[in-house]
C-alpha cells in the first residue's frame, strides 16, 4: 500500500516534470480513440444492416383464406420434405392473428390498425432456405399447390436483395479492413509518442538502475503514468464522441426517420463503447510505456 | 571485500576489440582506502564498473563482499548495487529532484519507511555540509555541491564498500579537497573506499595504498604511497 502510494506520487511527479510530453501522449491517445470510437459504431451499424438484410431472405408462402385444412397440410408436408432433404433450414407457420400482431409491433402508430374492418393479413409459412441462392427451387416446388393464395403467391426478395447483399458484403469487409488498419496505425502512433517520452528520460532510468533500483521499482511509475495518460486521453475522446453523438448523429436520425416502421439497424450502445474505449486507452498506455522502458533497464 | 582474479576485459570491435583490462589480480581488504591511478584509458573506469556489474568481465573472477559477480543473476544486480555506494565524475543526480529527494530516492529503493527517511536524509545532508541546501535542484547547485549530494546519496544506506570514479574530475582543487575529506571520514567509519583518480596532489597528500594501472595492467601496488614513484 505504501509502495502503491509512492509509485502513484512518482507517476504524478513525472507527469508534472514532463508536462509537454504527457500532453503530447494524451492528445495522441485522444485522437486515435476518437477516430476509432467514431468508426467502430458506424461499422457495426453497417454490419447490423447487412445481417438484417440476410435475415430477410425468407421465402414466404401465402395461404389463401378459403384453403382447407387438408390443402394446408399438403403444403406443410411439402415444406417438411424439403427440410428433410436439406433445402430448407427451418420454417414457421404464421396465423392470421400473429400476422396482425407482428404488424402491430412494427408500426410506429399501431392505432391505424384499429380502423381496419377485419383482419386482412393472410396465413403464411415463413421458410428459411439453407442457402439463399436456392430460394428459387423452393418457390417452384410450392407455387402450384392448391393452398397457395394465387395473387400473393410464394415470394422471396428477388434480384434486388441479392445485389444489395453483394454490396453490403463488400462494405462489411472493407470496413473490417479499415478498422484493422486504423487500430494498427493508432497503436504505432501511441507507442511512438510514449517511446519519445521514455527516451527523453533514459538517463534518469539509467541513474535509477545504477543506484540499485529494481526493474519493477523503476517501471511501475512509468506504467502508471501510461495508464493515466491513456485514461485521460480516452476520456477526452469519449466526451468529444458524446458531443458529436448528441449534437449531430441523434439529430440526423430524428430528421431522417421518415418510415412507418421502427426496425432500424442497431449499433453498439454508447456506454459500452465508452467503457471499451477507456479501458483500451488505459491498457495501451500501460503496455506502451511498460514495454518501451525495458530497453533502458538493461544497465 | 574485493577480490579480482585474472580479470580480463575486452571491448568487442575490429581487430579483436580493445583490451581494457589485461589479466588483473588484486585484493582489497575491509576498511582499506585504495587509490586507483593511471592515465586516461589505462582501465580505471573499466575496473570500477566491473565492481558494480555495469560491465561483465570477459574472463576471470570478480568477487565483491563475498558475491561472485561472474555468477550473479541479472535480477540480483540491484541488490548488489545497494550494498555498494557509487560516486561518479558527472554526479548522476536525478535532474527533476531536489538534493533532499535525490538522497531520499536511495532509501525509497530499499523500502525504508517515510519516517526514517525524514530522519536520515537531513542528517546525511548536514554531514556533507549541505544542511541548508536540501530544497535546491541539481542545476541550482555548484559542481562541488552536486558531488556532495552524490556522496550523501552513496552512503546514506551505510554501504560497506564505496566506489568513486574520478569524483573530483570536474572540480577545482579546493572543492576537491572537501570531497576527499568526506570520503576519508567515511572510510574512517570502516567503509572500504576504492577511488579512481588522476588527481596527483590529492593522492600525494593522502599517503594511502596506490594501485597504478597502465594499458590495462597493474604496474604498481604500494602502501602509503604517492601518485608516482619518486624519481
Amino acid at each position: 500500500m505504501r509502495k502503491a502510494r509512492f509509485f502513484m506520487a512518482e507517476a504524478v511527479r513525472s507527469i508534472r516534470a514532463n508536462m509537454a510530453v504527457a500532453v503530447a501522449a494524451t492528445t495522441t491517445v485522444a485522437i486515435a480513440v476518437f477516430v476509432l470510437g467514431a468508426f467502430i459504431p458506424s461499422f457495426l451499424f453497417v454490419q447490423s444492416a447487412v445481417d438484417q438484410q440476410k435475415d430477410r431472405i425468407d421465402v414466404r408462402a401465402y395461404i389463401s383464406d378459403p384453403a382447407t385444412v387438408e390443402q394446408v397440410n399438403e403444403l406443410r408436408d411439402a415444406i417438411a420434405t424439403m427440410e428433410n432433404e436439406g433445402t430448407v433450414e427451418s420454417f414457421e407457420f404464421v396465423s392470421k392473428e400473429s400476422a396482425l400482431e407482428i404488424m402491430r409491433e412494427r408500426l410506429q402508430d399501431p392505432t391505424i390498425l384499429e380502423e381496419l374492418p377485419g383482419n386482412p393479413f393472410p396465413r403464411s409459412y415463413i421458410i428459411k432456405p439453407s442457402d439463399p441462392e436456392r430460394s428459387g427451387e423452393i418457390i417452384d416446388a410450392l407455387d402450384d399447390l392448391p393452398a397457395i393464395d394465387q395473387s400473393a403467391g410464394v415470394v422471396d426478395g428477388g434480384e434486388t436483395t441479392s445485389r444489395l447483399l453483394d454490396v453490403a458484403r463488400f462494405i462489411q469487409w472493407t470496413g473490417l479492413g479499415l478498422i484493422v488498419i486504423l487500430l494498427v496505425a493508432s497503436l504505432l502512433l501511441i507507442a511512438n509518442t510514449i517511446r519519445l517520452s521514455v527516451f527523453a528520460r533514459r538517463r534518469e532510468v539509467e541513474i535509477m538502475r545504477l543506484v540499485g533500483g529494481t526493474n519493477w521499482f523503476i517501471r511501475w511509475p512509468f506504467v502508471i503514468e501510461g495508464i493515466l495518460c491513456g485514461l485521460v486521453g480516452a476520456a477526452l475522446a469519449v466526451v468529444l464522441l458524446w458531443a458529436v453523438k448528441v449534437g449531430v448523429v441523434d439529430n440526423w436520425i430524428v430528421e431522417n426517420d421518415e418510415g412507418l416502421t421502427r426496425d432500424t439497424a442497431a449499433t453498439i450502445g454508447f456506454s459500452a463503447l465508452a467503457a471499451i474505449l477507456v479501458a483500451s486507452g488505459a491498457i495501451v498506455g500501460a503496455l506502451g510505456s511498460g514495454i518501451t522502458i525495458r530497453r533502458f533497464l538493461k544497465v | 571485500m574485493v577480490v579480482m582474479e585474472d580479470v580480463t576485459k575486452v571491448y568487442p570491435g575490429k581487430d579483436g576489440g580493445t583490451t581494457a583490462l589485461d589479466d588483473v589480480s588484486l585484493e582489497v581488504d575491509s576498511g582499506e582506502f585504495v587509490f586507483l591511478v593511471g592515465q586516461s584509458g589505462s582501465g580505471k573506469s573499466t575496473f570500477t564498473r566491473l565492481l558494480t556489474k555495469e560491465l561483465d568481465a570477459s574472463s576471470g573472477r570478480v568477487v565483491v563482499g563475498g558475491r561472485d559477480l561472474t555468477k550473479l543473476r541479472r535480477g540480483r544486480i540491484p541488490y548488489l548495487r545497494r550494498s555498494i555506494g557509487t560516486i561518479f565524475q558527472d554526479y548522476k543526480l536525478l535532474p527533476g529532484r531536489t538534493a533532499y529527494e535525490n538522497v531520499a530516492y536511495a532509501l525509497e529503493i530499499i523500502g525504508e519507511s517515510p519516517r526514517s527517511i525524514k530522519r536520515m536524509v537531513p542528517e546525511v545532508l548536514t554531514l556533507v555540509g549541505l544542511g541548508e541546501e536540501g530544497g535546491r535542484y541539481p542545476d541550482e547547485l555548484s559542481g562541488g555541491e552536486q558531488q556532495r549530494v552524490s556522496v550523501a546519496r552513496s552512503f546514506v544506506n551505510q554501504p560497506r564498500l564505496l566506489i568513486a570514479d574520478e569524483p573530483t574530475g570536474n572540480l577545482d582543487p579546493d572543492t576537491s579537497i572537501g570531497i576527499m575529506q568526506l570520503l576519508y571520514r567515511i572510510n574512517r567509519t570502516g567503509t572500504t573506499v576504492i577511488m579512481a583518480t588522476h588527481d596527483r596532489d590529492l593522492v600525494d597528500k593522502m599517503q594511502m595504498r596506490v594501485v597504478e594501472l597502465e594499458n590495462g595492467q597493474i604496474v604498481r601496488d604500494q602502501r602509503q604511497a604517492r601518485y608516482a614513484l619518486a624519481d
Side-chain angles (χ1 to χ4, degrees):
Chain A
M1 196 53 220
R2 198 173 78 208
K3 271 207 162 157
R5 277 231 308 275
F6 172 76
F7 289 142
M8 194 71 198
E10 286 284 295
V12 171
R13 160 212 289 284
S14 143
I15 288 175
R16 277 165 55 181
N18 303 277
M19 211 38 158
V21 183
V23 167
T26 307
T27 317
T28 311
V29 173
I31 292 170
V33 168
F34 179 80
V35 172
L36 275 173
F39 198 80
I40 288 173
S42 319
F43 166 71
L44 289 175
F45 184 84
V46 171
Q47 197 187 26
S48 139
V50 170
D51 285 347
Q52 273 186 6
Q53 289 305 317
K54 260 189 201 152
D55 275 349
R56 278 194 192 139
I57 307 191
D58 294 331
V59 175
R60 263 190 114 109
Y62 292 103
I63 300 164
S64 67
D65 280 350
T68 65
V69 176
E70 287 77 24
Q71 287 170 330
V72 175
N73 282 347
E74 185 192 355
L75 172 62
R76 190 198 61 208
D77 291 344
I79 302 171
T81 311
M82 281 192 285
E83 189 182 29
N84 287 335
E85 290 164 1
T87 323
V88 169
E89 191 185 292
S90 64
F91 66 100
E92 179 192 352
F93 180 72
V94 180
S95 68
K96 286 181 78 73
E97 290 72 30
S98 22
L100 180 67
E101 201 46 49
I102 289 167
M103 194 42 85
R104 203 192 298 283
E105 274 170 24
R106 285 177 70 176
L107 286 175
Q108 256 174 3
D109 176 19
T111 52
I112 58 169
L113 290 175
E114 313 296 331
E115 288 159 30
L116 291 170
N119 181 352
F121 302 105
R123 292 174 287 176
S124 62
Y125 274 103
I126 300 177
I127 304 156
K128 197 148 186 57
S130 30
D131 177 1
E133 307 290 320
R134 292 175 69 183
S135 54
E137 287 175 36
I138 301 171
I139 296 173
D140 289 344
L142 304 179
D143 216 12
D144 294 331
L145 291 176
I148 298 299
D149 175 11
Q150 286 312 312
S151 60
V154 182
V155 293
D156 70 353
E159 269 295 295
T160 351
T161 315
S162 72
R163 194 159 301 163
L164 203 81
L165 271 183
D166 285 344
V167 174
R169 208 171 292 135
F170 172 76
I171 293 173
Q172 189 180 359
W173 283 110
T174 328
L176 205 63
L178 275 177
I179 281 200
V180 170
I181 292 172
L182 263 175
L183 210 61
V184 171
S186 323
L187 278 177
L188 288 178
L189 196 64
I190 294 170
N192 209 33
T193 313
I194 291 174
R195 180 174 313 188
L196 281 178
S197 96
V198 174
F199 193 74
R201 276 174 286 162
R202 67 190 185 285
R203 225 183 92 84
E204 219 173 310
V205 172
E206 184 194 309
I207 295 172
M208 290 168 174
R209 276 291 291 174
L210 287 178
V211 298
T214 56
N215 283 355
W216 275 105
F217 188 87
I218 299 167
R219 183 183 267 158
W220 267 118
F222 279 88
V223 171
I224 294 173
E225 193 186 334
I227 293 176
L228 288 178
C229 286
L231 276 180
V232 172
L236 275 177
V238 165
V239 169
L240 219 62
L241 283 169
W242 175 255
V244 171
K245 176 185 149 57
V246 171
V248 182
V249 180
D250 288 355
N251 283 336
W252 181 82
I253 287 175
V254 170
E255 276 167 26
N256 289 273
D257 196 6
E258 293 161 340
L260 273 172
T261 61
R262 212 189 279 171
D263 51 16
T264 46
T267 183
I268 186 170
F270 191 81
S271 43
L273 177 71
I276 291 173
L277 291 179
V278 171
S280 358
I283 291 170
V284 166
L287 289 181
S289 54
I291 292 172
T292 315
I293 195 180
R294 209 172 46 178
R295 195 148 61 95
F296 304 112
L297 288 172
K298 291 195 173 134
V299 184
Chain B
M1 177 55 38
V2 172
V3 180
M4 285 212 174
E5 275 174 17
D6 312 322
V7 171
T8 297
K9 174 66 185 174
V10 180
Y11 292 106
K14 279 182 284 185
D15 309 326
T18 316
T19 306
L21 283 182
D22 186 4
D23 200 24
V24 167
S25 294
L26 185 76
E27 219 170 294
V28 177
D29 289 333
S30 264
E32 268 196 283
F33 195 117
V34 181
F35 281 116
L36 211 54
V37 303
Q39 304 281 320
S40 298
S42 59
K44 301 192 299 287
S45 280
T46 303
F47 189 104
T48 58
R49 293 171 77 191
L50 282 171
L51 298 180
T52 53
K53 206 167 161 74
E54 244 186 279
L55 297 173
D56 283 316
S58 309
S59 68
R61 226 158 67 96
V62 181
V63 182
V64 175
R67 290 186 180 92
D68 186 343
L69 302 197
T70 36
K71 289 182 187 147
L72 191 72
R73 293 203 336 266
R74 283 204 62 82
R76 303 299 302 172
I77 294 177
Y79 303 95
L80 166 76
R81 290 181 185 161
R82 289 172 195 183
S83 69
I84 304 172
T86 329
I87 302 163
F88 308 90
Q89 180 170 4
D90 57 355
Y91 326 129
K92 291 207 193 298
L93 298 177
L94 295 166
R97 290 163 207 256
T98 62
Y100 179 99
E101 288 166 339
N102 262 285
V103 178
Y105 191 81
L107 293 170
E108 275 147 2
I109 279 176
I110 59 172
E112 200 62 71
S113 74
R115 194 199 290 174
S116 30
I117 292 178
K118 275 203 191 81
R119 183 175 51 77
M120 291 163 83
V121 176
E123 260 178 37
V124 174
L125 281 175
T126 308
L127 217 64
V128 299
L130 291 175
E132 308 294 315
E133 323 294 331
R136 289 165 68 185
Y137 288 89
D139 55 9
E140 301 169 346
L141 296 168
S142 70
E145 287 168 331
Q146 288 187 58
Q147 195 59 296
R148 282 166 187 274
V149 176
S150 161
V151 171
R153 177 181 64 187
S154 73
F155 80 94
V156 67
N157 56 1
Q158 286 148 350
R160 298 193 43 225
L161 173 63
L162 201 84
I163 297 168
D165 189 3
E166 301 275 8
T168 61
N170 290 349
L171 305 176
D172 60 66
D174 284 351
T175 318
S176 299
I177 290 171
I179 297 291
M180 197 59 240
Q181 281 169 340
L182 273 177
L183 295 183
Y184 181 65
R185 276 164 64 191
I186 294 169
N187 172 244
R188 290 290 294 272
T189 66
T191 305
T192 313
V193 178
I194 297 176
M195 172 170 161
T197 185
H198 53 233
D199 191 327
R200 178 181 293 262
D201 290 343
L202 274 186
V203 177
D204 287 350
K205 273 201 193 77
M206 297 297 293
Q207 294 284 316
M208 296 288 188
R209 179 177 173 189
V210 172
V211 173
E212 186 176 348
L213 285 167
E214 203 180 295
N215 296 324
Q217 288 180 319
I218 294 180
V219 292
R220 176 165 65 113
D221 183 356
Q222 195 177 11
R223 300 203 180 256
Q224 293 184 337
R226 297 169 65 82
Y227 185 87
L229 282 173
D231 338 78

